[in-house]
Amino acid sequence: QVQLVESGGGLVQAGGSLRLSCVASGGDFRFNHMGWYRQAPGKQRELVAAISNGGETNFIDSVKGRFTIARDNIKNTVYLQMNSLKPEDTAVYYCAAGRLGSSWSLPRDYWGQGTQVTVSS
């Protein structure tokens, strides 16, 4: 069983930056695909970014060029660096992990509790 704990959320002005972190425990982090999702009030949860166990990445169009995802297999941590934040980025951000053999671009076998990101205009 993989446990995921997110941190780094908060309140930031439009144009600012935040870095989210997600520490994984249990299992072998090196083999997991990892991702960040977000859910805004009244909206469905959506995948923001994913990174495979080999380092491939993908992003939804609305964050391309502004967000980056990275992983540190020594620290069992995945990061989401968010720059040029916009009010529409406001949401609860969830870390997720996918098992080895699952679709790397849609990791969803394990979930964190979420961290709130609020971007003020």
Side-chain angles (χ1 to χ4, degrees):
Q1 191 75 5
V2 175
Q3 291 82 43
L4 303 171
V5 178
E6 304 100 332
S7 62
L11 173 64
V12 64
Q13 288 188 330
S17 298
L18 282 175
R19 187 176 79 157
L20 305 183
S21 300
C22 171
V23 179
S25 59
D28 192 329
F29 181 79
R30 297 172 298 165
F31 298 129
N32 292 131
H33 308 307
M34 302 298 297
W36 288 95
Y37 292 72
R38 67 186 180 188
Q39 187 166 20
K43 295 188 177 181
Q44 289 191 327
R45 191 173 298 189
E46 62 177 354
L47 177 68
V48 176
I51 184 166
S52 73
N53 56 13
E56 297 171 275
T57 60
N58 73 348
F59 302 86
I60 55 171
D61 287 345
S62 61
V63 307
K64 285 180 180 177
R66 300 189 297 123
F67 291 12
T68 58
I69 187 171
R71 64 189 296 157
D72 184 332
N73 289 343
I74 302 299
K75 296 182 178 180
N76 289 358
T77 302
V78 62
Y79 303 97
L80 184 69
Q81 177 67 45
M82 305 185 293
N83 299 327
S84 302
L85 282 161
K86 303 175 180 180
E88 50 264 44
D89 294 318
T90 295
V92 178
Y93 283 71
Y94 297 90
C95 177
R99 298 187 189 97
L100 180 66
S102 65
S103 171
W104 77 264
S105 60
L106 200 64
R108 51 186 177 181
D109 294 312
Y110 306 99
W111 294 90
Q113 298 282 56
T115 185
Q116 176 70 46
V117 171
T118 303
V119 184
S120 63
S121 56

